[in-house]
């Protein structure tokens, strides 16, 4: 019968085996830990880089006015230009804290985006572009903005070429059945009143809200010399659509939201009547609306071109001191007590005429939710955020952009960011 050998490992052999395993496993564990840390850091940097890229895309696409609105994008502006200081470099600094950029909800980041126009001195990068006096029409976006430009010269109506009513001038001189004094050009212009209406409408299309902006001109003869049939007392143009986003979609397939509307109108410089302009924003859209009185040419000038050159500027007809305009805004009010639209104009908003910006402007405000409410002129200016624009406006257009991403709670004065990306923003 064979004898079994039950002899096991000795203590010394076990110790040697443990030492051998430790020599092999410890470096492996260190390698695993190091690899985990590298991968975690890479994931963190990748998320931070993605976050920085996303923020830069927002800043490249959106206007500064919208970015400053905390209700839209949630940025805190920790530094912005001092409008009272001509030497201020115009630096913007936007901050957003505690951004979660992963599904686990564990990785939080702080983001800082800096915009610098670099226009302090002539040696700065964008000094020339950011100190141009005139903002040309090609700087207006055709994607999220609409512009209506009334042409400004005609043989019959030297004050406004695009007004169809003047094409009927010759017919109205001797219409059938009309008796009394003959209309001449001056009398026709003096008796004619005009109202320009800009209407913003929304409707549902396939579950999405589409926006359309239209402009319409209404005319009426105030003082009739003789007997005039009804068809010669009033004239209304067809609605001209100058914004429609039903076919303009964003990356999500939704209609691009309307941000700005520009009405460039040709004034009627007879001081007996009022240029009446009405803005209807019944759907209470947050839109920037610009009402711009164009300069018109002196009819004695031989210049017929439309290029912006010294000759045309010199021959632009000056605004008469007695020029009278009226702006009526039909709107609603938001939670802050302001109208949803924000308004801008180069018309004179002062109570008296000035040499630099002559003429006077009446203001009216109609509240859709409270039709009987009466507003003073100062209240209308405050509630509508109505700002007066000069005929030319210097504006920063090009910024160097820097996006910095930090670990949430990091001391940004002493710690380096996880990611630093740079780019350019064109305003």
């Amino acid at each position: 019968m064979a004898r079994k050998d039950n002899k096991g490992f000795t203590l010394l052999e076990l110790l040697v085996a443990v030492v051998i395993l430790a020599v092999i496993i410890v470096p492996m564990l260190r390698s695993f830990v190091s690899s985990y840390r590298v991968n975690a850091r890479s994931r963190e940097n990748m998320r931070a880089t993605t976050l920085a890229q996303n923020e830069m895309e927002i800043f490249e696409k959106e206007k500064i006015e919208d970015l400053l609105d905390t209700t839209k994008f949630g940025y805190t502006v920790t530094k912005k230009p001092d409008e009272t200081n001509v030497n201020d470099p115009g630096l913007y600094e936007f901050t957003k804290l505690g951004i979660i950029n992963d599904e686990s909800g564990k990785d939080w980041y702080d983001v800082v985006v800096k915009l610098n126009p670099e226009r302090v001195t002539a040696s700065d990068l964008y000094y020339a572009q950011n100190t141009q006096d005139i903002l040309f029409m090609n700087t207006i976006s055709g994607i999220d903005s609409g512009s209506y430009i009334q042409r400004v010269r005609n043989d019959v109506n030297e004050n406004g070429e695009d007004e169809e009513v003047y094409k009927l001038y010759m017919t109205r001189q001797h219409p059938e059945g009309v008796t009394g004094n003959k209309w001449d050009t001056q009398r026709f212009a003096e008796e004619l009143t005009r109202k320009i209406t800009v209407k913003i409408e929304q409707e549902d299309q396939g579950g999405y809200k589409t926006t359309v902006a239209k402009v319409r001109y209404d005319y009426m003869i105030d003082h009739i010399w003789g007997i005039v049939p009804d068809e010669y007392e009033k004239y209304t143009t067809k609605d001209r659509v100058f914004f429609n986003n039903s076919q303009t979609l964003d990356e999500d397939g939704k209609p691009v939201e309307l941000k700005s509307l520009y009405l460039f109108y040709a004034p009627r410089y007879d001081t007996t009547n009022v240029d009446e302009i009405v803005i209807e924003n019944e759907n209470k859209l947050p839109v920037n609306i610009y009402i711009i009185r164009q300069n018109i040419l002196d009819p004695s000038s031989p210049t017929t071109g439309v290029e912006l050159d010294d000759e045309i500027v010199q021959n632009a007809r000056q605004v008469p001191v007695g020029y009278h305009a009226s702006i009526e805004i039909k709107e609603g009010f938001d939670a802050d007590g302001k109208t949803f639209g924000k308004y801008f104009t180069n018309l004179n908003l002062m109570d008296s005429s000035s040499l630099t910006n002559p003429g006077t402007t009446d203001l009216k405000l109609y509240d859709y939710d409270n039709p009987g409410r009466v507003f003073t002129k100062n209240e209308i200016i405050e509630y509508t955020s109505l700002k007066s624009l000069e005929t030319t406006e210097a504006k920063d257009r090009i910024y160097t952009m820097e996006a910095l991403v930090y670990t949430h709670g990091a001391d940004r004065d002493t710690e380096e960011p996880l990611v630093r990306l740079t780019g350019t923003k064109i305003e």
Side-chain angles (χ1 to χ4, degrees):
M1 179 175 174
R3 188 170 123 186
K4 293 182 180 180
D5 187 0
N6 292 326
K7 182 179 179 182
F9 292 103
T10 65
L11 179 59
L12 179 60
E13 290 173 329
L14 286 174
L15 289 174
V16 171
V18 169
V19 169
I20 294 173
L21 288 173
V23 170
I24 297 173
I25 292 176
V26 169
M28 290 180 63
L29 289 176
R30 288 178 178 173
S31 176
F32 290 149
V33 171
S34 177
S35 177
Y36 174 79
R37 289 175 178 172
V38 169
N39 289 336
R41 190 177 299 112
S42 297
R43 285 195 299 271
E44 184 179 53
N45 288 337
M46 182 178 64
R47 288 170 181 155
T49 300
T50 302
L51 178 58
Q53 291 172 340
N54 292 341
E55 296 298 307
M56 289 183 71
E57 288 178 3
I58 292 174
F59 274 77
E60 288 171 353
K61 182 174 67 173
E62 303 296 336
K63 292 183 172 65
I64 287 182
E65 290 86 351
D66 294 329
L67 294 166
L68 291 171
D69 188 344
T70 58
T71 61
K72 290 185 177 181
F73 297 99
Y75 297 105
T76 300
V77 184
T78 54
K79 187 184 296 183
K80 60 182 179 179
D82 181 359
E83 296 179 355
T84 64
N85 183 2
V86 295
N87 296 317
D88 190 284
L91 176 68
Y92 287 91
E93 188 171 299
F94 297 83
T95 305
K96 190 183 291 186
L97 305 178
I99 300 178
I100 301 174
N101 200 40
D102 73 331
E103 296 178 356
S104 70
K106 295 179 180 179
D107 292 337
W108 286 28
Y109 302 94
D110 296 339
V111 177
V112 177
V113 179
K114 298 179 181 181
L115 301 179
N116 189 347
E118 298 195 11
R119 56 167 170 78
V120 183
T121 66
S123 62
D124 289 328
L125 184 59
Y126 299 129
Y127 179 85
Q129 294 93 328
N130 286 332
T131 52
Q132 295 288 336
D133 286 336
I134 296 177
L135 188 62
F136 291 98
M137 282 298 299
N138 60 9
T139 64
I140 297 175
S141 169
I143 303 299
D144 55 17
S145 300
S147 300
Y148 177 75
I149 307 172
Q150 179 187 330
R151 293 176 294 174
V152 294
R153 196 168 185 173
N154 182 270
D155 292 338
V156 175
N157 174 29
E158 61 197 23
N159 294 335
E161 182 183 53
D162 212 27
E163 299 186 71
E164 297 171 7
V165 67
Y166 280 88
K167 297 176 182 178
L168 302 179
Y169 165 71
M170 294 303 296
T171 304
R172 294 186 181 210
Q173 275 194 306
H174 299 285
E176 183 180 353
V178 174
T179 62
N181 294 319
K182 175 184 175 182
W183 277 327
D184 57 20
T185 305
Q186 180 179 355
R187 177 171 291 164
F188 183 69
E190 289 178 352
E191 294 176 355
L192 188 70
T193 62
R194 178 181 71 176
K195 180 170 70 173
I196 305 172
T197 302
V198 174
K199 190 170 186 178
I200 310 168
E201 298 177 319
Q202 271 196 329
E203 59 182 27
D204 286 314
Q205 288 191 3
Y208 294 125
K209 291 281 189 181
T210 60
T211 305
V212 175
K214 306 174 181 177
V215 62
R216 184 184 72 248
Y217 282 58
D218 293 289
Y219 303 89
M220 185 172 67
I221 299 295
D222 264 356
H223 308 289
I224 305 302
W225 295 86
I227 302 170
V228 179
D230 289 344
E231 63 266 27
Y232 293 106
E233 290 186 15
K234 296 181 181 180
Y235 182 82
T236 299
T237 67
K238 296 179 180 179
D239 288 340
R240 298 176 175 91
V241 175
F242 63 106
F243 180 83
N244 186 344
N245 66 351
S246 61
Q247 302 299 321
T248 308
L249 308 180
D250 60 19
E251 58 270 15
D252 297 323
K254 300 179 181 178
V256 172
E257 293 184 2
L258 172 63
K259 291 188 178 178
S260 299
L261 285 180
Y262 299 82
L263 171 67
F264 293 86
Y265 80 97
R268 297 184 64 244
Y269 281 164
D270 19 71
T271 59
T272 57
N273 291 320
V274 177
D275 260 337
E276 185 178 358
I277 300 168
V278 179
I279 309 296
E280 299 180 1
N281 186 16
E282 189 171 1
N283 293 109
K284 306 172 186 177
L285 299 182
V287 182
N288 297 318
I289 299 176
Y290 296 81
I291 302 168
I292 309 298
R293 179 201 64 220
Q294 300 183 80
N295 286 334
I296 62 174
L297 302 182
D298 188 332
S300 64
S301 167
T303 305
T304 58
V306 295
E307 296 82 6
L308 186 62
D309 57 29
D310 290 340
E311 184 179 2
I312 288 184
V313 171
Q314 291 170 4
N315 289 309
R317 181 179 293 186
Q318 297 298 312
V319 180
V321 173
Y323 175 67
H324 196 180
S326 170
I327 299 176
E328 182 176 6
I329 298 171
K330 296 183 176 182
E331 262 273 17
F333 287 78
D334 60 19
D336 295 328
K338 299 289 185 70
T339 57
F340 287 84
K342 294 182 180 179
Y343 295 83
F344 307 83
T345 185
N346 64 343
L347 291 169
N348 181 20
L349 299 178
M350 301 171 62
D351 291 332
S352 59
S353 298
S354 66
L355 294 177
T356 56
N357 191 10
T360 59
T361 306
D362 293 333
L363 297 178
K364 303 174 185 177
L365 179 58
Y366 178 87
D367 181 1
Y368 281 117
D369 299 320
N370 189 1
R373 188 177 177 185
V374 178
F375 302 89
T376 66
K377 187 171 186 178
N378 288 336
E379 287 176 335
I380 295 174
I381 291 175
E382 177 185 355
Y383 298 156
T384 62
S385 303
L386 182 61
K387 293 183 179 179
S388 179
L389 302 174
E390 296 294 334
T391 53
T392 59
E393 180 185 7
K395 181 177 181 180
D396 292 329
R397 296 169 183 79
I398 305 178
Y399 297 82
T400 55
M401 177 168 52
E402 186 177 35
L404 310 171
V405 179
Y406 297 85
T407 302
H408 180 50
D411 185 347
R412 299 194 298 274
D413 293 330
T414 59
E415 297 185 35
E416 286 293 316
L418 296 171
V419 172
R420 183 193 306 266
L421 298 182
T422 58
T424 303
K425 173 177 174 56
I426 300 177
E427 177 74 355

